[in-house]
Amino acid sequence: MSGVKNSDTSEIGARGSAEGGQRGAAQGAAAMMRGGTLGGLLLAPVGAAVGGAKGATDAQSEQVVDDVRSELRLAMQDVDFGEDLRSRLAASRWADSLTVAGVTLGAASAAQQSTTSGANGADAHIVALEYRVLIYHPRHVNPRIAIIAQVVAQLQSPDRKRMLHRATWTYCGEPYDFVEMAANKAALLRGQISRASEILAEAIPHDLFVSDKPRPVKGVCMDFTDLPGGRGTKAPTLPLY
């Protein structure tokens, strides 16, 4: 298993009234043009003027936004999503016929399998996982943000010479106001990262080896309500505008 976390928070939220006005104008114009009609296009300047004035008024101070970005960045850097997912996968138990022999971080340390038999003569395979974790944040004055964690799996033959199957999972956290998400040392954000590893550690082996149904998708987010552990979540609607 390998992957990256994007801890860049430099574009989250508008710093002060000047940036708030710029982002508010863009939001207002986009809202008018969302339907793609001629009327919306003609009203875009009005939307920009109204949105710019509101954005300048509603924007948080530069100090508040700087503090928020700092707390969110530190949380992303502190929480070891890869290790959390690794340990949860290593402990996965679905049925007597399915056992996770081990999970390692990095391809170089993954054990080579020279036979097609695992414990008790069962078929054995290698699953190569690559993850990416980031903070979803629309370019709003006061955005609602959420964690997105995506894992791509390649099911390989024991000798790693053939790829048998490829699948992708995308977990989206519930969006919250960016200031609220950063409160208490970004407790909500840290919780979403932990929740993502918990859900994905259950979904990946289940979908690869147990389920015969495609996982429902809403936009880019997946629905995990059918997981047998009963801890699954619905796909949230992430704000685009």
Side-chain angles (χ1 to χ4, degrees):
M1 183 171 66
S2 61
V4 295
K5 292 185 300 180
N6 185 347
S7 58
D8 181 8
T9 60
S10 61
E11 294 296 316
I12 298 179
R15 295 178 73 250
S17 59
E19 190 171 327
Q22 294 172 359
R23 292 197 180 190
Q27 279 183 252
M32 290 296 179
M33 295 187 295
R34 195 178 308 168
T37 64
L38 178 59
L41 181 63
L42 294 174
L43 289 173
V46 177
V50 174
K54 189 174 189 306
T57 301
D58 293 348
Q60 303 288 339
S61 70
E62 294 182 3
Q63 184 61 56
V64 167
V65 174
D66 287 345
D67 290 344
V68 165
R69 291 176 178 178
S70 177
E71 291 293 347
L72 295 174
R73 183 181 67 255
L74 288 173
M76 287 292 289
Q77 294 170 345
D78 286 347
V79 179
D80 193 339
F81 174 85
E83 172 56 29
D84 197 14
L85 181 61
R86 185 208 66 78
S87 61
R88 291 180 187 273
L89 281 169
S92 296
R93 294 293 181 270
W94 284 104
D96 293 340
S97 60
L98 175 60
T99 301
V100 178
V103 186
T104 60
L105 296 176
S109 59
Q112 289 280 1
Q113 300 292 329
S114 59
T115 69
T116 57
S117 294
N120 301 320
D123 290 340
H125 293 92
I126 300 290
V127 182
L129 302 176
E130 184 173 353
Y131 66 82
R132 184 184 180 202
V133 184
L134 55 85
I135 301 175
Y136 170 81
H137 55 94
R139 193 174 172 80
H140 289 180
V141 177
N142 293 300
R144 290 170 61 80
I145 66 175
I147 281 293
I148 294 182
Q150 186 174 80
V151 177
V152 178
Q154 293 183 0
L155 180 64
Q156 303 175 358
S157 61
D159 59 7
R160 300 194 208 174
K161 293 182 178 179
R162 290 179 297 124
M163 186 176 73
L164 307 177
H165 182 66
R166 188 177 188 275
T168 301
W169 292 262
T170 304
Y171 172 87
C172 302
E174 193 68 31
Y176 286 89
D177 177 84
F178 77 122
V179 176
E180 183 180 1
M181 190 73 90
N184 300 316
K185 298 188 181 299
L188 281 174
L189 185 78
R190 293 171 188 267
Q192 285 199 2
I193 299 174
S194 178
R195 182 67 166 163
S197 66
E198 178 185 21
I199 295 297
L200 290 169
E202 185 175 4
I204 291 168
H206 176 264
D207 292 353
L208 282 177
F209 299 108
V210 179
S211 177
D212 58 358
K213 299 178 181 179
R215 184 155 298 285
V217 179
K218 181 179 181 182
V220 299
C221 306
M222 283 186 165
D223 187 297
F224 295 97
T225 52
D226 66 339
L227 292 178
R231 299 185 299 271
T233 58
K234 292 183 179 180
T237 300
L238 297 183
L240 299 178
Y241 300 99

